[in-house]
Amino acid sequence: MRTDIEKTLLDKISDLPTLKGKVSAWQSEDKKVVFTNGVFDLLHIGHIIYMAKASELGDKLIIGLNSDNSVKRIKGDDRPVNDQDSRAALLAALFFVDAIVLFEEDTPLNLISTLLPDILVKGADYAIENIVGAKEVLANGGEVKTIDFVEGYSSTSIIQKIRKQIT
């Protein structure tokens, strides 16, 4: 039997068709839907601040989460450190995250094209014209924004630090 907390966390993790229905309902209530994506392998303060700032741009925050297979293709065979179910549950535990959806592709273009969020967000290391899905969101009347990263934090640097301490 699942606890209320487990149910709440699992309710935030959606497949694309279910999430499309939620987004349509939110938008019909004039809620601004914000979308960002990433691997979020080892959750750190940089991730938390980035997502919190993204959530402040609208009313509902959706996280597109790379699946394990997608992460392996992008980051290499030794990643992810945490599996997709664990990463999704950790994100679902954040009060400012309203929905998580996994994607198998290398980019979230299909998610973005299907959901058509009001605001698409990426890190400021991206130029807006190079952000996957920007063209689709802008064509639909939405906005594309970037957020500065917190310096000195990355999952890769954390992994490297751990490896140094082990050897």
Side-chain angles (χ1 to χ4, degrees), residues 93-164:
L94 300 173
F95 71 90
F96 48 77
V97 172
D98 296 288
I100 298 102
V101 60
L102 288 158
F103 64 99
E104 289 289 333
E105 303 85 3
D106 291 349
T107 74
L109 182 59
N110 181 52
L111 289 181
I112 295 164
S113 298
T114 301
L115 298 173
L116 292 172
D118 300 294
I119 303 166
L120 175 61
V121 179
K122 283 300 284 181
D125 56 330
Y126 284 87
I128 287 178
E129 59 272 10
N130 296 330
I131 295 174
V132 169
K135 182 177 70 170
E136 291 75 10
V137 169
L138 292 170
N140 194 52
E143 300 174 72
V144 180
K145 299 189 179 269
T146 59
I147 295 175
D148 289 333
F149 284 123
V150 177
E151 289 295 320
Y153 293 95
S154 76
S155 295
T156 301
S157 66
I158 293 169
I159 292 168
Q160 289 170 346
K161 185 176 179 179
I162 292 168
R163 284 183 177 146
K164 265 201 243 180

Side-chain angles (χ1 to χ4, degrees), residues 11-72:
D11 283 349
K12 286 187 177 184
I13 303 166
S14 294
D15 59 23
L16 185 54
T18 302
L19 186 54
K20 176 63 178 163
K22 287 181 183 179
V23 168
S24 294
W26 292 335
Q27 289 173 329
S28 73
E29 298 168 357
D30 289 327
K31 305 271 189 211
K32 289 271 187 207
V33 176
V34 180
F35 178 94
T36 194
N37 67 281
V39 172
F40 302 108
D41 194 4
L42 296 176
L43 205 55
H44 53 71
I45 192 65
H47 288 140
I48 300 299
I49 291 171
Y50 170 81
M51 287 184 281
K53 285 181 178 179
S55 75
E56 291 175 344
L57 297 173
D59 302 302
K60 298 291 182 177
L61 177 62
I62 298 171
I63 307 292
L65 184 64
N66 292 76
S67 70
D68 290 348
N69 290 330
S70 175
V71 174
K72 284 187 187 313

